[in-house]
Amino acid sequence: MRQEYTYEEAVAYLLEIPKFAKKTTKENLLRLLERLGNPHLAKKAIHVAGTNGKGSTCAYMNRILMEKGEHVGLFTSPHLIVLEERFRIDGKPVKKEEFLECFCCFKMAMDQLVEEGYPHVSFFEGIFVIATLIFERHKEITYVIYETGLGGRLDATNVLQPVITVITSIGKDHMQYLGNTILEIAGEKAGIIKENTPVVYLGDQESSSIILERAVEKNAKAIVLSKEMIKILKKNQKAIDFSMKNRYIRYDSLTIDTCAEYQVENAGLAILALFELCSDLKEEEVKKGLRNMRWPCRMEQVMEDVYIDGAHNEPAIVQLVQTVKSNGKEAGLLFAVVADKDYRAMITLLTKEPIFSSIFITAIRGERKVDPESIANQFRSMGQENVKIISESSKEVFSKALAWKQKGKNRILYCAGSLYLAGELSEIIRGEKE
């Protein structure tokens, strides 16, 4: 049985898993984890589910805990450029060598179980297991923050026994797996709530009643972030100042370095969760954590008046539109999408009002790409006349979109539609800087 692999071979193997293995049962995953010594139980786990905002909420918690002096593991998905971005320790992706060592441990145990007649785990189950092995090795880590993949109830990460759960905003996405209504989707997300384990979630949304109902069933303390608790004090293209107050918390001057108002909710969820977990949490640690958080491609300013946003479903597009409408500049959009998203609904939202003076269309790499000409025609059918550049080369389209922005004194460019597009553009920008 082979036990040594190169980094490239390990990544290739993991990316090939979807071609020969599908999601298995919870019992099958637990069997593999038990064979490896149950690494998923080695650390205090914070478990985060939701449709949008999961990664940002995880990142805010991660940074605040770091400012508190804790060592923190962070597991998120998808990666933008390299696989090891999914596994971070104190904010930094793990080294390739450590990822490879843990891959080999996973592969050896998996091979043994397959020889015994058990099915191979799925891609996401595999990388989750590798994450638990990575974090278990680091004795200094006190908390590990885990973002769910898809859903919650049936997600691979739901074998965790967390100290707290967090549920971010819920909207219509992955409906072929999670249900056709917000309430059905909320029921799946709420599946991460555990017996006697606090849950933090957003109030004032359609899904709130389902989450509260599940919390009561599980005897879980329900901690709600309501709109009344947060007040935006000042906003510009680089930052938002806000206050946050409830019966126990009063923070009069908090700042996040983004122009996206929806990030205020994500920051609020992070604060409530950590206030519940850490009785000695200091206001200065919260302030520094929020201010110093960096989460790539979530309304990230990558150049002057150029933003990359991972918006890839209807709720996220609604938030993108709100941000664009508030900027006061002539806006352009660089757009690409994957085939299994409801991109027609996304385009309908993007064209409901004439907020973009120019549209640039490209395609993401891989099997899930959509012909950019068909996307352009969809925009035109919605009354958008100024669809300017259509190409399968994201590098070419990005170059043309930048040229458009630079020709006008008051122009701003947004790049959105897919996290895969965000990753491709990040790689292009990084390559140009190097």
Side-chain angles (χ1 to χ4, degrees):
M1 186 183 301
R2 186 180 174 193
Q3 297 181 17
E4 292 187 7
Y5 294 79
T6 66
Y7 168 80
E8 290 75 17
E9 287 173 335
V11 171
Y13 179 87
L14 290 168
L15 295 178
E16 285 290 311
I17 289 177
K19 294 181 180 178
F20 64 82
K22 295 182 179 180
K23 182 179 175 66
T24 56
T25 63
K26 181 178 180 180
E27 290 71 27
N28 193 55
L29 178 58
L30 285 170
R31 186 181 297 112
L32 174 59
L33 288 163
E34 184 177 13
R35 184 67 60 94
L36 291 163
N38 290 318
H40 63 301
L41 304 179
K43 306 291 180 180
K44 295 177 183 176
I46 299 171
H47 200 191
V48 183
T51 303
N52 291 307
K54 299 190 297 295
S56 298
T57 301
C58 288
Y60 280 122
M61 287 191 287
N62 178 74
R63 190 69 214 190
I64 294 170
L65 284 170
M66 286 172 59
E67 296 294 344
K68 193 177 180 300
E70 304 285 357
H71 294 286
V72 193
L74 177 62
F75 174 68
T76 59
S77 61
H79 60 277
L80 296 175
I81 301 173
V82 292
L83 193 66
E84 57 269 25
E85 289 174 27
R86 297 172 182 249
F87 325 103
R88 295 176 182 264
I89 296 172
D90 293 340
K92 296 179 181 178
V94 299
K95 293 179 180 178
K96 291 181 178 181
E97 295 79 11
E98 185 166 19
F99 159 75
L100 182 58
E101 288 171 8
C102 291
F103 166 81
C104 290
C105 292
F106 152 75
K107 183 69 165 59
M108 188 184 305
M110 190 73 260
D111 286 348
Q112 289 171 355
L113 288 169
V114 169
E115 280 191 1
E116 293 168 22
Y118 296 108
H120 197 292
V121 296
S122 69
F123 166 75
F124 186 76
E125 289 166 334
I127 60 170
F128 166 66
V129 170
I130 292 170
T132 65
L133 290 169
I134 290 170
F135 300 135
E136 181 191 34
R137 300 170 129 222
H138 288 262
K139 304 306 177 188
E140 75 277 13
I141 289 177
T142 47
Y143 292 97
V144 178
I145 304 166
Y146 288 95
E147 177 189 359
T148 60
L150 193 156
R153 180 177 64 92
L154 298 177
D155 194 75
T157 59
N158 210 25
V159 297
L160 295 166
Q161 296 178 15
V163 293
I164 197 165
T165 57
V166 182
I167 301 176
T168 64
S169 67
I170 293 175
K172 293 182 177 180
D173 196 13
H174 301 296
M175 294 166 66
Q176 66 271 41
Y177 305 109
L178 303 180
N180 294 316
T181 68
I182 294 293
L183 295 182
E184 287 176 333
I185 295 169
E188 291 296 313
K189 307 288 186 184
I192 71 166
I193 299 173
K194 300 295 187 297
E195 197 76 29
N196 297 310
T197 302
V199 56
V200 181
Y201 65 99
L202 289 172
D204 312 309
Q205 57 175 356
E206 188 180 346
S207 58
S208 303
S209 60
I210 296 295
I211 297 170
L212 178 58
E213 184 181 301
R214 186 64 52 84
V216 171
E217 287 175 8
K218 295 290 185 179
N219 197 30
K221 181 179 180 181
I223 303 167
V224 185
L225 178 69
S226 64
K227 290 179 181 177
E228 291 74 26
M229 290 172 59
I230 288 179
K231 182 179 179 182
I232 293 178
L233 306 173
K234 188 172 69 174
K235 176 190 170 186
N236 57 39
Q237 285 299 312
K238 295 185 182 294
I240 298 173
D241 295 341
F242 68 101
S243 63
M244 181 173 172
K245 300 170 189 175
N246 67 7
R247 290 169 58 190
Y248 311 103
I249 295 173
R250 183 186 176 99
Y251 299 141
D252 292 317
S253 181
L254 301 172
T255 301
I256 53 176
D257 285 352
T258 178
C259 64
E261 288 189 19
Y262 62 83
Q263 290 289 25
V264 175
E265 285 186 343
N266 298 328
L269 289 170
I271 292 168
L272 283 184
L274 296 185
F275 189 82
E276 174 67 21
L277 275 186
C278 308
S279 58
D280 59 343
L281 185 66
K282 295 180 176 61
E283 182 175 353
E284 192 59 29
E285 293 163 350
V286 173
K287 286 184 175 181
K288 284 185 177 179
L290 296 187
R291 194 71 200 245
N292 293 330
M293 191 280 267
R294 298 291 180 271
W295 196 233
C297 301
R298 276 69 172 184
M299 199 53 73
E300 179 189 12
Q301 184 172 2
V302 292
M303 299 177 181
E304 187 66 30
D305 284 336
V306 178
Y307 292 83
I308 296 180
D309 189 46
H312 59 279
N313 54 38
E314 291 174 64
I317 292 295
V318 168
Q319 293 170 338
L320 170 67
V321 168
Q322 290 172 349
T323 301
V324 175
K325 288 168 66 177
S326 69
N327 70 42
K329 294 187 176 184
E330 181 187 356
L333 175 67
L334 194 164
F335 185 81
V337 70
V338 294
D340 52 7
K341 294 293 181 182
D342 188 356
Y343 56 82
R344 292 174 182 83
M346 293 164 63
I347 292 170
T348 299
L349 292 168
L350 288 166
T351 55
K352 194 172 183 180
E353 298 177 58
I355 59 174
F356 295 108
S357 68
S358 296
I359 305 285
F360 305 88
I361 307 294
T362 187
I364 58 102
R365 297 189 295 257
E367 298 174 355
R368 299 167 69 194
K369 76 175 183 181
V370 184
D371 174 35
E373 189 62 53
S374 68
I375 296 297
N377 288 334
Q378 189 69 36
F379 270 99
R380 293 181 184 117
S381 72
M382 294 291 175
Q384 188 84 42
E385 297 178 356
N386 46 353
V387 183
K388 293 197 170 186
I389 307 293
I390 304 154
S391 170
E392 292 202 0
S393 167
S394 54
K395 185 172 185 177
E396 177 187 346
V397 175
F398 185 58
S399 175
K400 296 292 178 64
L402 277 181
W404 167 85
K405 186 197 79 72
Q406 290 162 357
K407 285 179 182 176
K409 291 183 178 179
N410 199 37
R411 287 178 174 178
I412 189 167
L413 175 66
Y414 295 93
C415 310
S418 168
L419 278 168
Y420 296 99
L421 172 67
E424 288 184 17
L425 295 180
S426 295
E427 197 168 9
I428 291 165
I429 292 166
R430 187 176 71 174
E432 289 177 351
K433 288 179 178 178
E434 291 175 353

